[in-house]
């Protein structure tokens, strides 16, 4: 059974710091992995989608990597800002309809 | 603006009442999903639909039903609400033919009392 884990559950960093969020999954047979951002009381906003054949994706200050063989993905945020404060979720697509979500990392960037 | 619209935004519902959560997308995505999000449990799939006219059960389908009469709409019905159905419900969609990312609505916060 596929399980997705995100560590740490919460993280506080000073503004300007580069940081890495971790996502691990137990079964390497995935179609893709998606990173989302969720603001309090809001829905999920897609940040990056990495297909199983890809190693990384970049969007602005965000870079996501995928290592299927080790069951890990990282989301790198460069030069963090207070506006980056949110919960970050990763999800693996394990079938046509089947997404398995981690429970998220709650990030706070201090001004 | 293209996307997914959910209604209502929030609702307080008496136990035993029937309730339908609405979800509409205008991206012509073939696949749609309903998730519930609970503290400490993350998002769990309730029901899904791969195309209009078909639906399937997810991880936690009991007490919920869905229909997919057309491409755009995917309502979720609670036939007789119970307090354990208190949660935040998210609708999502994606285009499986083009293998796009999943897009989510803003959620419906439901409290069953």
């Amino acid at each position: 059974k596929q399980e997705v884990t995100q560590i740490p559950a919460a993280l506080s960093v000073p503004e300007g710091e580069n940081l890495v969020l971790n996502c691990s999954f137990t079964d390497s047979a995935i179609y893709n992995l998606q990173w989302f951002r969720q603001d309090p009381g809001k829905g999920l906003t897609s940040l990056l989608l990495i297909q199983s054949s890809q190693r990384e994706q970049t969007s602005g200050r965000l870079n996501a990597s995928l290592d299927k063989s080790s069951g890990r993905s990282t989301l790198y945020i460069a030069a963090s800002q207070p506006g980056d404060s949110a919960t970050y979720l990763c999800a693996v697509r394990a079938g046509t309809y089947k997404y398995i979500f981690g429970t998220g990392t709650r990030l706070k960037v201090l001004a | 603006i293209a996307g997914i619209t959910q209604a209502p935004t929030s609702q307080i519902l008496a136990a035993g009442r029937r309730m339908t959560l609405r979800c509409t997308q205008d991206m012509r995505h073939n696949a749609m999903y309903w998730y519930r999000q609970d503290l400490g449990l993350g998002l769990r799939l309730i029901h899904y639909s791969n195309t209009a006219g078909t639906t399937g059960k997810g991880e936690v389908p009991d007490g919920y039903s869905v229909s997919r009469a057309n491409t755009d709409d995917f309502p979720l019905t609670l036939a007789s609400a119970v307090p354990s159905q208190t949660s935040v419900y998210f609708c999502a969609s994606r285009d499986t033919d083009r293998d796009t990312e999943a897009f989510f609505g803003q959620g419906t916060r439901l409290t069953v009392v």
Side-chain angles (χ1 to χ4, degrees):
Chain A
K1 180 187 173 188
Q2 177 74 270
E3 293 183 2
V4 179
T5 305
Q6 291 185 250
I7 294 173
L11 181 64
S12 286
V13 299
E15 182 177 8
E17 190 162 301
N18 301 324
L19 59 100
V20 174
L21 305 181
N22 297 297
C23 172
S24 60
F25 47 96
T26 55
D27 187 345
S28 63
I30 65 170
Y31 288 80
N32 59 41
L33 184 145
Q34 195 167 352
W35 281 94
F36 296 89
R37 169 188 173 135
Q38 185 176 29
D39 293 287
K42 303 292 186 183
L44 281 69
T45 299
S46 179
L47 297 174
L48 288 164
L49 171 69
I50 311 178
Q51 300 292 348
S52 62
S53 58
Q54 297 175 321
R55 297 285 292 184
E56 65 177 335
Q57 283 285 342
T58 298
S59 175
R61 294 183 294 109
L62 305 179
N63 176 277
S65 68
L66 175 64
D67 184 343
K68 272 181 51 178
S69 61
S70 66
R72 291 196 299 185
S73 176
T74 60
L75 179 66
Y76 175 84
I77 303 177
S80 58
Q81 303 169 358
D84 294 330
S85 298
T87 296
Y88 291 80
L89 297 161
C90 69
V92 299
R93 186 163 74 83
T96 303
Y97 64 88
K98 198 177 180 87
Y99 281 88
I100 310 296
F101 283 82
T103 52
T105 294
R106 193 170 60 254
L107 173 67
K108 186 165 188 178
V109 181
L110 305 170
Chain B
I1 297 176
I4 299 179
T5 302
Q6 291 186 236
T9 304
S10 65
Q11 181 75 44
I12 299 175
L13 185 68
R17 296 295 296 269
R18 181 184 179 89
M19 172 79 187
T20 295
L21 308 185
R22 300 185 298 279
C23 174
T24 299
Q25 54 105 357
D26 61 2
M27 298 174 282
R28 307 302 293 172
H29 287 170
N30 59 314
M32 297 186 74
Y33 312 88
W34 274 105
Y35 290 88
R36 59 178 289 173
Q37 185 177 35
D38 302 288
L39 199 63
L41 296 176
L43 282 94
R44 294 178 292 169
L45 181 66
I46 305 170
H47 285 287
Y48 67 94
S49 168
N50 286 328
T51 189
T54 69
T55 63
K57 293 182 180 180
E59 185 182 354
V60 288
D62 294 343
Y64 305 95
S65 64
V66 292
S67 61
R68 187 90 183 274
N70 57 60
T71 298
D72 298 342
D73 300 301
F74 191 43
L76 176 73
T77 297
L78 290 68
S80 179
V82 295
S84 62
Q85 292 178 309
T86 294
S87 187
V88 182
Y89 291 85
F90 288 102
C91 180
S93 74
R94 75 183 194 96
D95 184 335
T96 61
D97 294 332
R98 293 188 299 128
D99 200 15
T100 66
E101 61 200 307
F103 292 84
F104 280 74
Q106 290 300 297
T108 294
R109 184 173 297 274
L110 179 67
T111 303
V112 182
V113 298

